[in-house]
Amino acid sequence: MEEKRKKKSGPIKSAIESESDVDTKLWSFITTRSTKSWFLCISLFALLIRLAVALHPYSGANTPPKFGDFEAQRHWMEITLNLPVKEWYRNSTANDLSYWGLDYPPLTAYQSYFHGILLKLFDPASVSLFASRGYESYLGKLLMRWTVLMSDLMIFFPAVLYFVTVYYSGKSTKDKSGMVWHTTMILLNPCLILIDHGHFQYNCISLGLTTAAVAAILSDRDLVGSMLFSLALNHKQMSAYYAPAFFAYLLGKCLRNKNPIIDVLKLGLVVLGTFAVVWWPYLYSMDASLEVLFRLAPFERGIYEDYVANFWCTTSVVLKWKRLFTTQSLKLLSLAATVSTCLPSMVQLIWSPTKHGFIHGLLNCSFSFYLFSFQVHEKSILLPLLPASFLALDEPFVFEWLIYNALLSMFPLLRRDKLVLAYTAIYGLFILLYHAPSGKKDTSKTNRFFSILKLFALACSLFLHVIYMTITPPDKYPYLVEAIIMIFCFSQFVLVLIYSNRKQWALFNTSTQVDTKKKSL
């Protein structure tokens, strides 16, 4: 009788065990397939989502006289294609810098030039000097959308594959069970898709170069990583948000080597060499170089623009910074605030340079820049989001929390672009994908405080979305709801910064304990 009971209970027990492990086994089954196979499937789905978002309006559609970011990018193609390289950043009768003058580093200008060649090949009128201002033909818009898509496919997608391959190299099959989910989270970042393929920008290039640089450094190819990050800096100057973390981590590694001075010199030569190649057309004179540098530092715009959820804009509700301080004073204040909030993360990386700490450092330093640096745009939240996506499997709560609040912070901008439908659809898609079975460690489920905080934040976010869409603010305070959204998001971002800094220093304590044990042995 006992043997029969064992035989009966055996299948039941195994069935229960199989049900409890079904999520892990499902993702393990997918992961055990060829990396190229599942990455291709995710990429095709991510491509489909980008195409769907690209069907919606873009920044400045049908809104003369200056239109928006779409027109800015098209105009740069027009300028770089029709004028000599030395005149791209110089004000002249042929290049009126007050009309969307180039204000990104030379690598962006070269990108505009090559994209301009593509547009000229199929639709010459779209990049005709002077005559193409405000050009919005169907073919022209289609070609412009394809340039962003091509940039994504050629730079960001391969960089993500490089990163996940390095990040999961040497890990067990069980650890790799979340690899597919992690890749999906990075490639289907709703904020990046909405800004690049909806609003219209090329953040995928600078973020792709940064992703590849991080992957190279994680695989101990520091010289390659330095070159790639230098290229990212030369595409968008906002990539400097990551610079303190790169500098501190690489310096910390060099100081632990046998010949630290030689290692530092090698890194310095790679960085200087990369910059020299990119800036070569402007190195013939000091004035030419300064013309470009002047365009990259928009101090004349003031310390903030629009309603961005950073310190200066949020506190301006009470303290009118622009009235009380000069631009020079505000530059020094923002520099001091940014450096002081970056410093703890940098010190930890120099003292104990670990790979996991490096990614936390990227998040902390980029957040410090977003919250305290001079002239921040709401789209700049994409920079902290990138390292947060790298940590999506280990810190899923932080990633989810940050995504939701980043979307909310950009909602007023995206609503002005008439992207509400795309915003809602991709928001819902992200929720479904995020909660798909995976190997992520959801700390919010084991910590009651995190659970309550997340529920409260989501309820507030939903409420603010509804209020912004349905209620007309009083004439005396036309931007009241935008200000409330800004204040709420700022409070959430500060909490993320504090939490992430604590996590980074916890890694330092762990590594110190390990070193102590090794010495005692």
Side-chain angles (χ1 to χ4, degrees):
M1 289 292 289
E2 290 181 2
E3 290 181 2
K4 289 182 179 179
R5 285 177 184 175
K6 286 180 180 179
K7 287 179 180 179
K8 288 181 180 179
S9 63
I12 295 171
K13 186 178 180 181
S14 62
I16 293 171
E17 288 177 354
S18 64
E19 285 178 8
S20 64
D21 295 336
V22 67
D23 292 350
T24 305
K25 287 182 178 180
L26 172 64
W27 286 92
S28 296
F29 172 78
I30 297 171
T31 308
T32 53
R33 305 303 96 189
S34 167
T35 301
K36 292 180 181 178
S37 300
W38 62 253
F39 186 81
L40 179 61
C41 291
I42 296 173
S43 298
L44 288 173
F45 183 68
L47 176 63
L48 179 63
I49 298 303
R50 283 162 167 77
L51 287 170
V53 171
L55 295 174
H56 293 78
Y58 49 81
S59 171
N62 302 312
T63 55
K66 291 190 70 173
F67 300 89
D69 277 13
F70 178 92
E71 170 63 10
Q73 302 288 346
R74 188 215 56 77
H75 180 64
W76 296 345
M77 297 177 197
E78 168 197 345
I79 292 299
T80 54
L81 197 62
N82 292 286
L83 298 180
V85 64
K86 294 177 182 179
E87 296 183 24
W88 289 354
Y89 293 89
R90 183 176 298 167
N91 193 54
S92 64
T93 54
N95 184 20
D96 182 7
L97 293 181
S98 64
Y99 184 82
W100 298 120
L102 262 167
D103 53 9
Y104 285 118
L107 197 58
T108 288
Y110 306 147
Q111 166 227 315
S112 298
Y113 173 76
F114 286 111
H115 284 161
I117 293 174
L118 176 67
L119 263 68
K120 187 176 182 180
L121 184 64
F122 294 98
D123 188 16
S126 64
V127 285
S128 176
L129 191 63
F130 300 123
S132 60
R133 288 194 177 186
Y135 190 85
E136 292 183 303
S137 73
Y138 174 77
L139 179 58
K141 289 186 282 188
L142 184 65
L143 290 169
M144 289 286 287
R145 289 295 195 189
W146 274 104
T147 59
V148 183
L149 202 63
M150 286 167 52
S151 302
D152 233 339
L153 289 172
M154 294 175 67
I155 298 175
F156 189 69
F157 280 53
V160 171
L161 177 60
Y162 182 23
F163 171 79
V164 294
T165 302
V166 170
Y167 193 77
Y168 289 92
S169 63
K171 293 188 178 181
S172 65
T173 306
K174 186 178 179 181
D175 291 332
K176 290 183 179 180
S177 62
M179 189 176 184
V180 179
W181 178 87
H182 196 177
T183 305
T184 305
M185 289 298 100
I186 301 174
L187 283 181
L188 285 160
N189 181 332
C191 298
L192 177 59
I193 294 173
L194 285 167
I195 292 299
D196 275 16
H197 299 273
H199 178 82
F200 200 92
Q201 282 198 342
Y202 294 91
N203 294 289
C204 56
I205 297 177
S206 57
L207 294 180
L209 290 168
T210 301
T211 301
V214 171
I217 287 175
L218 292 180
S219 59
D220 296 318
R221 298 177 179 177
D222 296 341
L223 296 179
V224 175
S226 298
M227 182 196 69
L228 289 168
F229 181 61
S230 298
L231 290 174
L233 279 169
N234 278 290
H235 185 263
K236 283 201 172 186
Q237 62 268 38
M238 285 81 74
S239 298
Y241 286 23
Y242 304 123
F246 273 91
F247 172 79
Y249 177 72
L250 291 174
L251 178 61
K253 282 188 69 177
C254 289
L255 293 176
R256 290 188 163 212
N257 294 338
K258 293 181 179 179
N259 300 303
I261 296 176
I262 294 175
D263 290 336
V264 170
L265 287 174
K266 285 180 181 178
L267 292 170
L269 286 172
V270 168
V271 172
L272 290 174
T274 306
F275 269 79
V277 170
V278 175
W279 283 70
W280 186 255
Y282 304 100
L283 296 180
Y284 65 93
S285 74
M286 181 65 73
D287 290 339
S289 300
L290 290 175
E291 281 178 348
V292 181
L293 287 173
F294 179 77
R295 294 296 304 163
L296 306 185
F299 293 123
E300 72 281 356
R301 297 181 187 175
I303 196 165
Y304 62 84
E305 267 187 296
D306 296 327
Y307 282 87
V308 58
N310 76 343
F311 173 79
W312 307 109
C313 193
T314 303
T315 55
S316 68
V317 175
V318 178
L319 190 62
K320 305 301 178 185
W321 297 100
K322 293 181 180 180
R323 296 179 189 173
L324 295 173
F325 298 91
T326 63
T327 299
Q328 185 62 30
S329 299
L330 289 173
K331 283 194 286 186
L332 294 174
L333 279 172
S334 64
L335 177 63
T338 305
V339 171
S340 60
T341 50
C342 279
L343 205 55
S345 184
M346 293 178 67
V347 169
Q348 192 276 331
L349 286 175
I350 294 172
W351 203 335
S352 178
T354 63
K355 293 177 180 180
H356 202 62
F358 171 52
I359 300 178
H360 270 285
L362 290 169
L363 174 58
N364 294 328
C365 291
S366 58
F367 239 136
S368 294
F369 271 78
Y370 176 84
L371 293 173
F372 298 103
S373 64
F374 198 97
Q375 185 52 224
V376 174
H377 199 280
E378 57 262 57
K379 296 188 288 289
S380 299
I381 193 61
L382 292 174
L383 287 113
L385 272 176
L386 184 68
S389 69
F390 296 159
L391 294 166
L393 197 70
D394 298 314
E395 296 289 343
F397 173 70
V398 171
F399 176 61
E400 182 188 21
W401 193 9
L402 187 52
I403 283 281
Y404 292 153
N405 288 288
L407 282 165
L408 176 61
S409 71
M410 295 193 301
F411 184 59
L413 170 70
L414 297 170
R415 190 197 177 193
R416 288 196 297 270
D417 292 340
K418 300 178 181 178
L419 289 166
V420 174
L421 179 60
Y423 176 91
T424 306
I426 203 166
Y427 201 128
L429 176 65
F430 172 78
I431 293 173
L432 290 173
L433 293 173
Y434 176 84
H435 291 284
S438 68
K440 62 181 181 289
K441 307 167 187 176
D442 197 345
T443 55
S444 64
K445 289 181 179 179
T446 58
N447 191 309
R448 190 177 178 184
F449 172 74
F450 285 155
S451 299
I452 295 171
L453 183 63
K454 183 166 73 172
L455 288 173
F456 174 74
L458 286 173
C460 290
S461 178
L462 178 61
F463 176 74
L464 289 171
H465 277 96
V466 173
I467 291 296
Y468 188 67
M469 290 294 294
T470 58
I471 294 180
T472 303
D475 294 336
K476 189 176 181 181
Y477 302 104
Y479 302 106
L480 177 62
V481 183
E482 282 97 330
I484 295 172
I485 290 174
M486 169 192 68
I487 293 168
F488 174 76
C489 292
F490 171 72
S491 67
Q492 303 303 301
F493 293 156
V494 169
L495 290 173
V496 172
L497 179 62
I498 294 170
Y499 174 83
S500 185
N501 269 282
R502 286 188 61 190
K503 290 291 290 187
Q504 185 179 344
W505 277 93
L507 292 172
F508 168 72
N509 294 332
T510 303
S511 63
T512 303
Q513 291 173 5
V514 172
D515 290 342
T516 304
K517 288 181 180 179
K518 286 181 179 178
K519 288 178 182 178
S520 64
L521 292 173

mmCIF file of all heavy atoms in Angstrom, residues 1 10 55 57 85 88 106 121 138 141 147 150 161-162 173 221 232 261 292 296 305 330 396 419 421 495 512:
data_model
loop_
_atom_site.group_PDB
_atom_site.id
_atom_site.type_symbol
_atom_site.label_atom_id
_atom_site.label_comp_id
_atom_site.label_asym_id
_atom_site.label_seq_id
_atom_site.Cartn_x
_atom_site.Cartn_y
_atom_site.Cartn_z
ATOM 1 N N MET A 1 0.836 -1.216 0.000
ATOM 2 C CA MET A 1 0.000 0.000 0.000
ATOM 3 C C MET A 1 0.872 1.268 0.000
ATOM 4 O O MET A 1 0.599 2.223 -0.699
ATOM 5 C CB MET A 1 -0.897 0.013 1.250
ATOM 6 C CG MET A 1 -2.012 -1.022 1.220
ATOM 7 S SD MET A 1 -3.241 -0.641 -0.049
ATOM 8 C CE MET A 1 -3.995 0.781 0.713
ATOM 9 N N GLY A 10 4.264 10.505 -6.249
ATOM 10 C CA GLY A 10 5.426 10.899 -7.061
ATOM 11 C C GLY A 10 5.070 11.811 -8.211
ATOM 12 O O GLY A 10 5.611 12.907 -8.332
ATOM 13 N N LEU A 55 4.550 56.058 -37.200
ATOM 14 C CA LEU A 55 3.357 56.437 -37.970
ATOM 15 C C LEU A 55 2.651 57.651 -37.368
ATOM 16 O O LEU A 55 1.806 58.260 -38.021
ATOM 17 C CB LEU A 55 2.375 55.256 -38.033
ATOM 18 C CG LEU A 55 2.856 54.008 -38.790
ATOM 19 C CD1 LEU A 55 1.839 52.885 -38.637
ATOM 20 C CD2 LEU A 55 3.071 54.328 -40.268
ATOM 21 N N PRO A 57 2.501 61.552 -35.282
ATOM 22 C CA PRO A 57 3.140 62.857 -35.523
ATOM 23 C C PRO A 57 4.500 62.982 -34.849
ATOM 24 O O PRO A 57 4.915 62.115 -34.074
ATOM 25 C CB PRO A 57 2.128 63.849 -34.915
ATOM 26 C CG PRO A 57 0.830 63.128 -34.908
ATOM 27 C CD PRO A 57 1.172 61.684 -34.664
ATOM 28 N N VAL A 85 32.582 72.309 -44.761
ATOM 29 C CA VAL A 85 32.612 71.865 -43.369
ATOM 30 C C VAL A 85 33.009 72.985 -42.417
ATOM 31 O O VAL A 85 32.536 73.052 -41.275
ATOM 32 C CB VAL A 85 33.554 70.649 -43.226
ATOM 33 C CG1 VAL A 85 34.987 71.018 -43.559
ATOM 34 C CG2 VAL A 85 33.458 70.055 -41.832
ATOM 35 N N TRP A 88 29.908 75.111 -41.110
ATOM 36 C CA TRP A 88 28.742 74.460 -40.500
ATOM 37 C C TRP A 88 28.329 75.116 -39.183
ATOM 38 O O TRP A 88 27.148 75.155 -38.865
ATOM 39 C CB TRP A 88 29.044 72.973 -40.264
ATOM 40 C CG TRP A 88 29.109 72.175 -41.530
ATOM 41 C CD1 TRP A 88 28.827 72.598 -42.794
ATOM 42 C CD2 TRP A 88 29.509 70.801 -41.642
ATOM 43 N NE1 TRP A 88 29.016 71.580 -43.694
ATOM 44 C CE2 TRP A 88 29.429 70.455 -43.023
ATOM 45 C CE3 TRP A 88 29.923 69.829 -40.732
ATOM 46 C CZ2 TRP A 88 29.744 69.178 -43.485
ATOM 47 C CZ3 TRP A 88 30.236 68.568 -41.191
ATOM 48 C CH2 TRP A 88 30.146 68.242 -42.559
ATOM 49 N N PRO A 106 30.876 67.665 -33.638
ATOM 50 C CA PRO A 106 31.081 67.361 -35.066
ATOM 51 C C PRO A 106 30.558 66.006 -35.530
ATOM 52 O O PRO A 106 30.148 65.874 -36.689
ATOM 53 C CB PRO A 106 32.601 67.435 -35.220
ATOM 54 C CG PRO A 106 33.032 68.408 -34.181
ATOM 55 C CD PRO A 106 32.124 68.163 -33.015
ATOM 56 N N LEU A 121 19.502 61.770 -52.604
ATOM 57 C CA LEU A 121 19.441 60.719 -53.611
ATOM 58 C C LEU A 121 17.999 60.418 -54.016
ATOM 59 O O LEU A 121 17.708 60.208 -55.198
ATOM 60 C CB LEU A 121 20.118 59.453 -53.060
ATOM 61 C CG LEU A 121 20.237 58.248 -54.007
ATOM 62 C CD1 LEU A 121 21.127 58.603 -55.201
ATOM 63 C CD2 LEU A 121 20.798 57.044 -53.260
ATOM 64 N N TYR A 138 5.398 63.778 -47.968
ATOM 65 C CA TYR A 138 5.256 62.409 -47.475
ATOM 66 C C TYR A 138 6.560 61.637 -47.644
ATOM 67 O O TYR A 138 7.032 60.967 -46.711
ATOM 68 C CB TYR A 138 4.140 61.682 -48.229
ATOM 69 C CG TYR A 138 4.021 60.220 -47.868
ATOM 70 C CD1 TYR A 138 3.414 59.821 -46.683
ATOM 71 C CD2 TYR A 138 4.559 59.229 -48.701
ATOM 72 C CE1 TYR A 138 3.335 58.481 -46.330
ATOM 73 C CE2 TYR A 138 4.483 57.885 -48.357
ATOM 74 C CZ TYR A 138 3.858 57.527 -47.175
ATOM 75 O OH TYR A 138 3.787 56.198 -46.839
ATOM 76 N N LYS A 141 9.263 62.921 -45.161
ATOM 77 C CA LYS A 141 9.036 62.430 -43.796
ATOM 78 C C LYS A 141 9.383 60.947 -43.683
ATOM 79 O O LYS A 141 9.960 60.508 -42.683
ATOM 80 C CB LYS A 141 7.583 62.675 -43.388
ATOM 81 C CG LYS A 141 7.258 64.151 -43.160
ATOM 82 C CD LYS A 141 5.862 64.356 -42.620
ATOM 83 C CE LYS A 141 4.828 64.233 -43.697
ATOM 84 N NZ LYS A 141 3.465 64.623 -43.231
ATOM 85 N N THR A 147 15.974 57.229 -41.565
ATOM 86 C CA THR A 147 17.336 57.525 -41.093
ATOM 87 C C THR A 147 17.479 57.188 -39.604
ATOM 88 O O THR A 147 18.528 56.689 -39.177
ATOM 89 C CB THR A 147 17.695 59.003 -41.321
ATOM 90 O OG1 THR A 147 16.771 59.855 -40.631
ATOM 91 C CG2 THR A 147 17.703 59.351 -42.800
ATOM 92 N N MET A 150 17.475 53.317 -39.344
ATOM 93 C CA MET A 150 18.772 52.786 -39.766
ATOM 94 C C MET A 150 19.824 52.983 -38.673
ATOM 95 O O MET A 150 20.643 52.092 -38.405
ATOM 96 C CB MET A 150 19.229 53.464 -41.052
ATOM 97 C CG MET A 150 18.483 53.015 -42.302
ATOM 98 S SD MET A 150 18.824 54.111 -43.697
ATOM 99 C CE MET A 150 20.607 54.136 -43.698
ATOM 100 N N LEU A 161 23.370 43.856 -28.161
ATOM 101 C CA LEU A 161 23.796 42.455 -28.279
ATOM 102 C C LEU A 161 25.196 42.267 -27.679
ATOM 103 O O LEU A 161 25.448 41.288 -26.954
ATOM 104 C CB LEU A 161 23.793 42.028 -29.744
ATOM 105 C CG LEU A 161 24.299 40.600 -30.029
ATOM 106 C CD1 LEU A 161 23.449 39.563 -29.310
ATOM 107 C CD2 LEU A 161 24.314 40.330 -31.531
ATOM 108 N N TYR A 162 26.087 43.205 -27.958
ATOM 109 C CA TYR A 162 27.436 43.174 -27.407
ATOM 110 C C TYR A 162 27.378 43.231 -25.878
ATOM 111 O O TYR A 162 28.042 42.462 -25.175
ATOM 112 C CB TYR A 162 28.226 44.353 -27.974
ATOM 113 C CG TYR A 162 29.675 44.447 -27.553
ATOM 114 C CD1 TYR A 162 30.397 43.341 -27.108
ATOM 115 C CD2 TYR A 162 30.337 45.682 -27.602
ATOM 116 C CE1 TYR A 162 31.727 43.442 -26.730
ATOM 117 C CE2 TYR A 162 31.670 45.800 -27.228
ATOM 118 C CZ TYR A 162 32.356 44.681 -26.790
ATOM 119 O OH TYR A 162 33.672 44.785 -26.417
ATOM 120 N N THR A 173 23.590 28.603 -16.643
ATOM 121 C CA THR A 173 22.346 28.598 -17.414
ATOM 122 C C THR A 173 21.207 29.207 -16.611
ATOM 123 O O THR A 173 20.360 29.915 -17.145
ATOM 124 C CB THR A 173 21.972 27.154 -17.822
ATOM 125 O OG1 THR A 173 23.077 26.577 -18.496
ATOM 126 C CG2 THR A 173 20.758 27.148 -18.744
ATOM 127 N N ARG A 221 38.378 45.565 -22.058
ATOM 128 C CA ARG A 221 38.970 46.221 -23.231
ATOM 129 C C ARG A 221 38.871 47.733 -23.029
ATOM 130 O O ARG A 221 38.094 48.429 -23.681
ATOM 131 C CB ARG A 221 38.250 45.782 -24.495
ATOM 132 C CG ARG A 221 38.368 44.285 -24.766
ATOM 133 C CD ARG A 221 37.582 43.862 -25.974
ATOM 134 N NE ARG A 221 37.721 42.429 -26.232
ATOM 135 C CZ ARG A 221 37.093 41.776 -27.205
ATOM 136 N NH1 ARG A 221 36.271 42.424 -28.009
ATOM 137 N NH2 ARG A 221 37.276 40.478 -27.365
ATOM 138 N N ALA A 232 30.919 58.767 -28.405
ATOM 139 C CA ALA A 232 29.612 59.149 -27.860
ATOM 140 C C ALA A 232 29.623 60.614 -27.427
ATOM 141 O O ALA A 232 28.665 61.363 -27.684
ATOM 142 C CB ALA A 232 29.252 58.249 -26.680
ATOM 143 N N ILE A 261 50.927 54.832 -14.254
ATOM 144 C CA ILE A 261 51.177 56.030 -15.068
ATOM 145 C C ILE A 261 51.112 55.690 -16.552
ATOM 146 O O ILE A 261 50.500 56.421 -17.352
ATOM 147 C CB ILE A 261 52.542 56.657 -14.714
ATOM 148 C CG1 ILE A 261 52.530 57.141 -13.253
ATOM 149 C CG2 ILE A 261 52.859 57.810 -15.658
ATOM 150 C CD1 ILE A 261 53.856 57.681 -12.770
ATOM 151 N N VAL A 292 32.905 76.220 -32.569
ATOM 152 C CA VAL A 292 32.166 74.979 -32.317
ATOM 153 C C VAL A 292 31.841 74.855 -30.834
ATOM 154 O O VAL A 292 30.705 74.547 -30.452
ATOM 155 C CB VAL A 292 32.970 73.750 -32.787
ATOM 156 C CG1 VAL A 292 32.178 72.475 -32.538
ATOM 157 C CG2 VAL A 292 33.335 73.871 -34.261
ATOM 158 N N LEU A 296 28.173 74.533 -28.464
ATOM 159 C CA LEU A 296 27.862 73.373 -27.623
ATOM 160 C C LEU A 296 27.454 73.764 -26.215
ATOM 161 O O LEU A 296 26.962 72.923 -25.459
ATOM 162 C CB LEU A 296 29.073 72.431 -27.533
ATOM 163 C CG LEU A 296 29.680 71.941 -28.847
ATOM 164 C CD1 LEU A 296 30.770 70.926 -28.580
ATOM 165 C CD2 LEU A 296 28.611 71.335 -29.751
ATOM 166 N N GLU A 305 14.986 75.071 -19.030
ATOM 167 C CA GLU A 305 13.974 75.379 -20.035
ATOM 168 C C GLU A 305 12.752 74.510 -19.776
ATOM 169 O O GLU A 305 12.865 73.378 -19.300
ATOM 170 C CB GLU A 305 14.505 75.072 -21.441
ATOM 171 C CG GLU A 305 15.139 76.254 -22.130
ATOM 172 C CD GLU A 305 15.487 75.930 -23.576
ATOM 173 O OE1 GLU A 305 16.334 75.052 -23.779
ATOM 174 O OE2 GLU A 305 14.913 76.552 -24.471
ATOM 175 N N LEU A 330 25.033 81.289 -11.607
ATOM 176 C CA LEU A 330 24.279 80.042 -11.735
ATOM 177 C C LEU A 330 25.140 78.928 -12.331
ATOM 178 O O LEU A 330 24.978 77.757 -11.975
ATOM 179 C CB LEU A 330 23.030 80.264 -12.588
ATOM 180 C CG LEU A 330 21.926 81.097 -11.930
ATOM 181 C CD1 LEU A 330 20.810 81.390 -12.918
ATOM 182 C CD2 LEU A 330 21.361 80.366 -10.711
ATOM 183 N N PRO A 396 15.282 45.361 -10.503
ATOM 184 C CA PRO A 396 14.082 45.586 -11.314
ATOM 185 C C PRO A 396 13.171 46.666 -10.758
ATOM 186 O O PRO A 396 12.509 47.385 -11.518
ATOM 187 C CB PRO A 396 13.384 44.219 -11.312
ATOM 188 C CG PRO A 396 13.906 43.525 -10.111
ATOM 189 C CD PRO A 396 15.313 44.001 -9.931
ATOM 190 N N LEU A 419 1.272 62.667 -29.354
ATOM 191 C CA LEU A 419 1.704 61.278 -29.283
ATOM 192 C C LEU A 419 1.026 60.517 -28.139
ATOM 193 O O LEU A 419 1.556 59.513 -27.658
ATOM 194 C CB LEU A 419 3.221 61.211 -29.113
ATOM 195 C CG LEU A 419 4.068 61.606 -30.328
ATOM 196 C CD1 LEU A 419 5.520 61.826 -29.932
ATOM 197 C CD2 LEU A 419 3.966 60.550 -31.416
ATOM 198 N N LEU A 421 -1.672 58.649 -28.070
ATOM 199 C CA LEU A 421 -2.057 57.276 -28.423
ATOM 200 C C LEU A 421 -0.837 56.352 -28.404
ATOM 201 O O LEU A 421 -0.879 55.256 -27.826
ATOM 202 C CB LEU A 421 -2.726 57.253 -29.802
ATOM 203 C CG LEU A 421 -3.168 55.864 -30.311
ATOM 204 C CD1 LEU A 421 -4.171 55.235 -29.348
ATOM 205 C CD2 LEU A 421 -3.775 55.983 -31.710
ATOM 206 N N LEU A 495 14.749 60.173 -4.742
ATOM 207 C CA LEU A 495 14.715 58.918 -4.000
ATOM 208 C C LEU A 495 15.522 57.826 -4.708
ATOM 209 O O LEU A 495 16.233 57.044 -4.069
ATOM 210 C CB LEU A 495 13.271 58.464 -3.801
ATOM 211 C CG LEU A 495 12.431 59.297 -2.826
ATOM 212 C CD1 LEU A 495 10.976 58.839 -2.859
ATOM 213 C CD2 LEU A 495 12.979 59.213 -1.409
ATOM 214 N N THR A 512 35.125 45.032 0.384
ATOM 215 C CA THR A 512 36.097 45.216 1.469
ATOM 216 C C THR A 512 36.147 43.991 2.369
ATOM 217 O O THR A 512 37.217 43.540 2.780
ATOM 218 C CB THR A 512 35.738 46.462 2.299
ATOM 219 O OG1 THR A 512 35.681 47.601 1.447
ATOM 220 C CG2 THR A 512 36.787 46.709 3.379
#
